[in-house]
């Protein structure tokens, strides 16, 4: 019976990514009726679960911290492609799209994924334990990237409004790529042990703690390909249902920025589920790698991409945050620093981060 269940699960996780891409091809650029939207939403949810499964297969094969890096970068690269595509089609509303999407990703990862991971880990194992050196380095990088890319444009004077001049935007893009590349090198080569799961006593837990046999190289490569298909399906189908979501948001009298938040929540679902599963296994460091790595990749890859795209995109590129969002970002940084320094957390810290996410969502609905 167990073998039969595993076989069914294997077939399901192979079929859904392929189905998602086929459905994406059939629905791309078309106005979807209500019944099709329901089908697309169900396939989208299935693609999210399939993406998590294949990401875990790849992660098990390559080990940490490479496993969390694979999912973070894969999701972010496709997310960047989605942002640029929407900017091309969005008209005047696209001026703030990159800013809203990146900030939504930062708040969802740093407060939502971190908060729920700490809450799940600490409730299940009394205390959520992680490496403060690696997590602190990741938080410092996210803070620097967010400040350079999202805060400074509000205060620069070379151009009117919260925009960078061409020279300033070029510097922000180069700085973002450089910092992200330096962090990846630190995480995967020079100080890899800072980003490995830790035991209660603080020692890093190596591969010997993994009881399941690692998948073969062939299986991992197949899962990597299916992961890519699933992520393409997730992002593409999310774009497909976005007009319906936008219509619902407008009918409810909500701001246009809420659409970006909803899409960001959908796109980040694979990382959220993977992070919660890692926290349940007492691998909270893996959860932190996923959360902060995703925030970092979202800024470090999106800003250079939109800077390059702005060469041919019409209209302005607004990156500077408003005062309310800057307050939320500053509070997130302070709370995150206080969470990271001890290297361990209780349900209280998880609850604080989730309340910050709730405040951001509430202000997005009622600015």
């Amino acid at each position: 019976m167990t073998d039969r269940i595993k076989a069914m699960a294997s077939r399901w996780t192979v079929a859904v990514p392929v189905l998602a891409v086929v459905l994406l091809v059939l629905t791309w650029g078309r106005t979807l009726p209500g019944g099709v939207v329901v089908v697309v939403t169900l396939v989208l949810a299935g693609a999210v679960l399939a993406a998590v499964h294949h990401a875990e297969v790849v992660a098990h094969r390559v080990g940490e911290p490479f496993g969390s890096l694979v999912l973070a970068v894969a999701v972010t690269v496709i997310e960047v492609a989605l942002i640029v595509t929407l900017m091309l089609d969005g008209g005047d509303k696209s001026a703030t799209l990159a800013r809203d999407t990146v900030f939504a990703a930062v708040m969802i990862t740093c407060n939502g994924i971190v908060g729920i991971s700490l809450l799940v880990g600490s409730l299940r194992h009394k205390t959520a334990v992680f490496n403060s050196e690696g997590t602190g380095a990741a938080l410092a990088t996210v803070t620097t990237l967010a400040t350079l890319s999202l805060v400074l444009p509000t205060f620069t004077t070379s151009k009117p409004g919260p925009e960078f001049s061409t020279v300033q935007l070029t510097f922000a893009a180069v700085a973002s790529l450089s910092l992200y590349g330096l962090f990846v090198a630190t995480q995967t080569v020079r100080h890899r042990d800072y980003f490995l799961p830790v035991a209660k006593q603080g020692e890093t837990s190596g591969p010997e703690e993994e009881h399941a046999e690692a998948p073969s190289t062939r299986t991992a490569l197949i899962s990597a390909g299916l992961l890519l298909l699933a992520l393409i399906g997730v992002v593409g189908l999310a774009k497909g249902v976005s007009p319906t979501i936008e219509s619902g948001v407008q009918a409810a009298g909500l701001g246009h920025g809420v659409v970006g938040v909803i899409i960001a929540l959908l796109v980040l679902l694979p990382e959220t589920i993977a992070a919660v599963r890692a926290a349940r296994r007492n691998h909270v460091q893996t959860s932190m790698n996923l959360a902060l790595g995703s925030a970092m990749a979202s800024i470090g890859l999106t800003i250079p991409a939109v800077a390059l795209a702005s060469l041919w995109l019409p209209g302005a590129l607004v990156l500077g945050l408003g005062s309310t969002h800057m307050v939320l970002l500053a509070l997130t940084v302070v709370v995150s620093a206080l969470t990271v320094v001890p290297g361990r957390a209780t349900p209280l810290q998880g609850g604080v981060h989730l309340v910050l996410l709730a405040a951001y969502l509430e202000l997005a609905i009622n600015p």
Side-chain angles (χ1 to χ4, degrees), residues 8 12 14 33 117 133 181 184 197 240 332:
M8 291 176 61
W12 178 81
V14 169
S117 298
E133 287 92 343
V184 170
T332 296

Side-chain angles (χ1 to χ4, degrees), residues 110-125:
C110 292
N111 288 317
I113 299 180
V114 167
I116 195 170
S117 298
L118 294 179
L119 189 63
V120 169
S122 58
L123 287 176
R124 190 174 180 86
H125 304 282

Side-chain angles (χ1 to χ4, degrees), residues 80-342:
V80 168
L82 174 61
I83 291 173
V84 174
T85 302
L86 291 174
M87 288 179 68
L88 288 170
D89 300 334
D92 294 336
K93 293 180 180 180
S94 66
T96 60
L97 179 63
R99 178 199 67 185
D100 294 341
T101 305
V102 169
F103 184 65
V106 170
M107 296 301 292
I108 292 168
T109 52
C110 292
N111 288 317
I113 299 180
V114 167
I116 195 170
S117 298
L118 294 179
L119 189 63
V120 169
S122 58
L123 287 176
R124 190 174 180 86
H125 304 282
K126 294 187 178 180
T127 305
V129 181
F130 50 89
N131 195 320
S132 58
E133 287 92 343
T135 308
L139 177 62
T141 309
V142 171
T143 301
T144 302
L145 288 172
T147 302
L148 290 177
S149 302
L150 302 177
V151 176
L152 283 184
T154 304
F155 300 99
T156 55
T157 57
S158 298
K159 292 187 68 175
E163 301 176 41
F164 272 145
S165 67
T166 301
V167 173
Q168 292 167 341
L169 183 59
T170 301
F171 171 79
V174 173
S176 296
L177 273 178
S178 300
L179 276 177
Y180 184 67
L182 181 59
F183 176 81
V184 170
T186 301
Q187 183 186 33
T188 58
V189 181
R190 191 171 182 85
H191 296 288
R192 181 185 174 190
D193 55 316
Y194 286 3
F195 301 91
L196 296 177
V198 296
K200 284 290 184 182
Q201 295 77 15
E203 304 91 349
T204 59
S205 56
E208 66 273 5
E209 289 196 2
E210 297 289 346
H211 299 292
E213 183 180 353
S216 65
T217 301
R218 180 176 178 272
T219 300
L221 288 174
I222 293 174
S223 284
L226 290 170
L227 170 63
L228 182 61
L229 286 180
L231 291 175
I232 291 173
V234 168
V235 178
L237 293 178
K239 181 181 183 299
V241 299
S242 62
T244 303
I245 296 174
E246 186 172 357
S247 299
V249 168
Q250 291 177 348
L254 303 176
H256 182 73
V258 176
V259 178
V261 175
I262 295 173
I263 298 300
L265 287 169
L266 290 173
V267 171
L268 289 169
L269 262 180
E271 287 156 312
T272 303
I273 297 174
V276 171
R277 287 184 174 181
R280 285 176 57 85
R281 297 194 304 268
N282 205 22
H283 287 182
V284 178
Q285 182 61 51
T286 300
S287 304
M288 303 297 272
N289 292 346
L290 280 166
L292 297 178
S294 299
M296 197 183 312
S298 182
I299 305 173
L301 297 178
T302 300
I303 299 303
V306 298
L308 185 62
S310 66
L311 296 176
W312 69 82
L313 288 175
L317 177 61
V318 177
L319 292 177
L321 294 172
S323 56
T324 302
H325 285 169
M326 280 193 285
V327 169
L328 285 174
L329 179 61
L331 186 56
T332 296
V333 170
V334 172
V335 170
S336 298
L338 294 175
T339 297
V340 166
V341 168

